[in-house]
Amino acid sequence: MPFPSATFAVWGSAWLHGVAAPDDTLDALAVWAEMHEVVADDEGTATTLELPARDERAGQLAALLAALRKAGATTARLVIPVPGDVRGLGGSARLASEAVRVGEAVTLPEAGVAIVPETVADSVIRWTVFDLPTTSPGEHTPLGEADHNLSTAMRDAAGTLASLDLSSNRSGVRHEIKERVAASARARWPIGMPQKALRVWQRATEVAVMLEVAAEDDPGGAMSSSATLRRSEALRPLANAIRIARCAAIDEAVRVLSDHAGRH
């Protein structure tokens, strides 16, 4: 459930705009892992950004931040791709495949790169930098619209699930949900983080945890095939609304922090 890409997008953009210190940015990312490795996906990207390639000794996050600034990066965006929707990833099949597998990515259109973080060992995240072939951004949804759509999807899903009588009998499920939400709440945000964006992010995270638990609570043979299909159909729009709300919250945070930098 943690999204290191969201932390990178917000803090990285804040640092690139001069409203966050580099040490604070690195400390915020350290919440997700004790060790961070950086490699470039191909030789061309490695040469352009002066970063190690996959088969070389990995670099550090500080070097990545410096390379991004040198390459002209100013703004980062969170992308949460799913099969069939990889908008914002520049048309690269390799990048899309890796981002979908991991479930997240950061794009920096001005620098022409995207970054995919992956937990490769206990408390070790590897950030792989990919070439971003085209720099057209993914679809942007205003924060208010994304929040409204999340509420609507929640109501629709709740009604359908209730009609299927899918109450969970899993022991300790409430405690499990609380623990998963707490794990995501470890994220640190810069001074000036807009509260509305933060509220939408937290709300989407709480709903995502409940959806995750519901998806794991497989009733198996207790449900007919038609009921299983209806259950899946009820959850799919909600999962999409969560994804859009998360991206909208991070986009808004980056926008506000960038505007703050422009006024100083």
Side-chain angles (χ1 to χ4, degrees), residues 29-53:
L29 288 163
V31 167
W32 302 124
E34 294 178 4
M35 182 180 298
H36 294 260
E37 303 176 345
V38 175
V39 296
D41 175 62
D42 61 83
E43 292 293 341
T45 303
T47 300
T48 300
L49 295 180
E50 299 180 352
L51 293 173

Side-chain angles (χ1 to χ4, degrees), residues 38-241:
V38 175
V39 296
D41 175 62
D42 61 83
E43 292 293 341
T45 303
T47 300
T48 300
L49 295 180
E50 299 180 352
L51 293 173
R54 283 181 180 268
D55 58 350
E56 297 176 333
R57 183 184 179 91
Q60 299 181 339
L61 273 175
L64 173 58
L65 290 173
L68 293 174
R69 171 166 280 175
K70 186 176 180 181
T74 58
T75 300
R77 295 197 69 189
L78 171 66
V79 180
I80 307 176
V82 294
D85 186 358
V86 293
R87 286 172 292 181
L89 295 180
S92 167
R94 181 173 175 82
L95 166 59
S97 176
E98 289 297 294
V100 168
R101 182 177 63 82
V102 174
E104 59 182 293
V106 182
T107 63
L108 296 104
E110 297 91 350
V113 299
I115 311 169
V116 177
E118 181 178 9
T119 299
V120 294
D122 186 30
S123 202
V124 179
I125 292 178
R126 176 175 298 151
W127 299 80
T128 302
V129 185
F130 293 80
D131 177 53
L132 191 65
T134 61
T135 56
S136 58
E139 182 177 342
H140 171 71
T141 303
L143 184 61
E145 179 182 336
D147 191 26
H148 174 75
N149 291 342
L150 178 59
S151 296
T152 300
M154 287 171 60
R155 286 194 300 268
D156 292 346
T160 304
L161 293 174
S163 71
L164 295 174
D165 192 24
L166 294 175
S167 57
S168 174
N169 294 316
R170 187 191 305 181
S171 176
V173 66
R174 291 185 181 277
H175 180 69
E176 183 179 349
I177 291 174
K178 184 177 180 180
E179 283 191 335
R180 295 193 194 189
V181 170
S184 295
R186 290 183 298 159
R188 294 177 50 194
W189 305 106
I191 295 174
M193 179 74 172
Q195 291 304 301
K196 183 176 181 180
L198 185 56
R199 285 194 300 271
V200 172
W201 174 265
Q202 292 172 336
R203 182 163 172 253
T205 296
E206 292 170 1
V207 179
V209 168
M210 290 186 284
L211 180 58
E212 187 178 77
V213 171
E216 292 171 359
D217 186 26
D218 184 3
M223 290 176 62
S224 67
S225 59
S226 61
T228 301
L229 179 60
R230 289 177 59 199
R231 182 180 197 260
S232 177
E233 290 175 345
L235 297 180
R236 189 179 300 112
L238 180 55
N240 188 54

